[in-house]
Amino acid sequence: LQTLALHAPSVAAAVAYTGALTLDRTVAVVGTLTADELIQDNSNLAKLSRAAEIASLVDNDTRTHVVVSASELIELIPVLRELAQNKRSVVVHVPISSADDITDVLAVRDSGCAVLRSATAQQAVDFSLVASLSAQKLGVPFIHCFANTSGAVDVQAYEPVADNADIAAFLKSEKDESEEGDVEDVSAADAAYAVVAQAMTLFDTSYSPVTYVGAADAALVYATFGSELSAETLGAAGAVQISLYRPLSVQAVVALLPQSATRLVALEQVVRQPTAWGPLLFDLATVLHSHEWEAQEDRARPIILDAVSAASPTEFSAAQLAQ
């Protein structure tokens, strides 16, 4: 892909700019902003928040990017469900800056939309395109959330890709019948994982919907949603880092979890929990009692623990994680 240097006033502006410029031939951004206007005045992002209009604006042949605040998501659940039922190729970008925002994103995790989270500014730009291409191929709307750090950012952006041969081949490749469907279906989840993984390699071969970092023989393993922990911080522990949270590929998590794991800790950055445990813990429990797990003979099931904090997992030191 042809690239260009982009200096944007915020990560959210860079994401919106990417949708407007890189997918310019087919993009239908809610609002009437040009790419230049997005870059020149970050306050213009507020004009993109009329998300209730998108259900009537978009069809399956149009890539639509919308930027909304996390606090709007709960009210948009009926719209999100309608988009999912109608298989609309919509990407809803959600800037997050606190545990409150992440809690709001997780509250709509079962709306029928795929949920993808970026860990860095560059990933936010890249994954905005991954989400758009995957949404178009799968016929599933995506919620893409990313850390909207304060201040300007310098990232690698992309020239218009409408005529890019690799992307054209990705979109035209034959679909497995299981690719389309409810994102909660097990076979559809694995098929969607494969599509997103393939889209990610168009931008960086190191990207993956779910990754593992740390000791190969770790007894203590953490699980995070979109937070990247370094091997230095983890020490003798490991971490399963989930970027594609919905649909969650049970098969991928089972494959990445070390055989040596005896404790699996869900590191959850959430507040206002309606239940005693966080959403990630329930998903991990599902993984450890799945058919994929049971199919592994003589594999011990690790103990699941829940660690809930308003702070990001990346803010913890090695000593704090060990505690």
Side-chain angles (χ1 to χ4, degrees):
L1 297 177
Q2 293 183 328
T3 62
L4 54 88
L6 174 62
H7 180 75
S10 70
V11 179
V15 167
Y17 177 82
T18 299
L21 175 70
T22 308
L23 301 172
D24 63 344
R25 255 183 25 178
T26 53
V27 74
V29 179
V30 175
T32 56
L33 298 177
T34 66
D36 288 339
E37 288 174 327
L38 285 170
I39 288 299
Q40 291 170 2
D41 183 4
N42 191 35
S43 66
N44 279 323
L45 289 174
K47 299 178 184 177
L48 298 178
S49 294
R50 293 180 285 120
E53 300 177 14
I54 61 182
S56 61
L57 288 176
V58 63
D59 57 45
N60 285 334
D61 296 323
T62 304
R63 300 190 192 116
T64 302
H65 287 244
V66 182
V67 180
V68 303
S69 66
S71 60
E72 294 177 280
L73 285 174
I74 302 298
E75 296 178 359
L76 291 175
I77 287 178
V79 176
L80 296 174
R81 290 193 178 280
E82 181 179 351
L83 293 172
Q85 291 169 0
N86 293 324
K87 303 184 184 301
R88 300 305 193 191
S89 304
V90 177
V91 181
V92 179
H93 299 288
V94 184
I96 54 178
S97 57
S98 68
D100 287 284
D101 294 340
I102 296 172
T103 302
D104 289 333
V105 171
L106 292 173
V108 299
R109 65 190 181 279
D110 295 325
S111 62
C113 300
V115 179
L116 181 67
R117 182 175 175 184
S118 303
T120 66
Q122 186 60 57
Q123 275 190 12
V125 169
D126 295 345
F127 285 9
S128 68
L129 298 174
V130 168
S132 182
L133 296 173
S134 300
Q136 185 175 3
K137 185 165 182 177
L138 291 167
V140 172
F142 269 67
I143 296 172
H144 169 226
C145 56
F146 55 91
N148 192 34
T149 54
S150 59
V153 294
D154 292 296
V155 294
Q156 174 181 282
Y158 300 94
E159 297 285 3
V161 299
D163 298 320
N164 181 272
D166 291 336
I167 288 180
F170 167 79
L171 292 174
K172 291 180 180 178
S173 60
E174 292 185 6
K175 297 181 181 180
D176 185 288
E177 290 182 0
S178 63
E179 284 181 6
E180 292 189 355
D182 191 327
V183 298
E184 300 306 319
D185 181 77
V186 174
S187 61
D190 290 334
Y193 179 97
V195 168
V196 173
Q198 183 185 0
M200 286 179 171
T201 62
L202 294 171
F203 302 95
D204 191 322
T205 56
S206 68
Y207 289 155
S208 179
V210 182
T211 59
Y212 179 81
V213 63
D217 59 350
L220 173 62
V221 177
Y222 302 98
T224 68
F225 167 45
S227 298
E228 292 190 336
L229 300 175
S230 67
E232 292 76 18
T233 300
L234 289 166
V240 174
Q241 301 177 150
I242 302 168
S243 296
L244 182 63
Y245 186 50
R246 285 291 185 273
L248 180 61
S249 173
V250 171
Q251 181 177 333
V253 177
V254 170
L256 288 172
L257 193 62
Q259 295 273 349
S260 54
T262 58
R263 288 181 296 164
L264 180 59
V265 181
L267 292 181
E268 309 206 56
Q269 188 184 3
V270 294
V271 294
R272 308 190 313 275
Q273 282 190 195
T275 59
W277 299 282
L280 183 55
L281 181 136
F282 286 108
D283 287 314
L284 294 177
T286 299
V287 168
L288 296 185
H289 290 82
S290 65
H291 170 75
E292 289 85 350
W293 184 273
E294 298 294 348
Q296 302 178 103
E297 296 182 2
D298 301 324
R299 184 171 183 181
R301 185 178 287 114
I303 298 171
I304 308 177
L305 303 172
D306 204 19
V308 179
S309 172
S312 168
T314 59
E315 297 177 21
F316 297 134
S317 65
Q320 289 173 317
L321 284 175
Q323 292 176 358

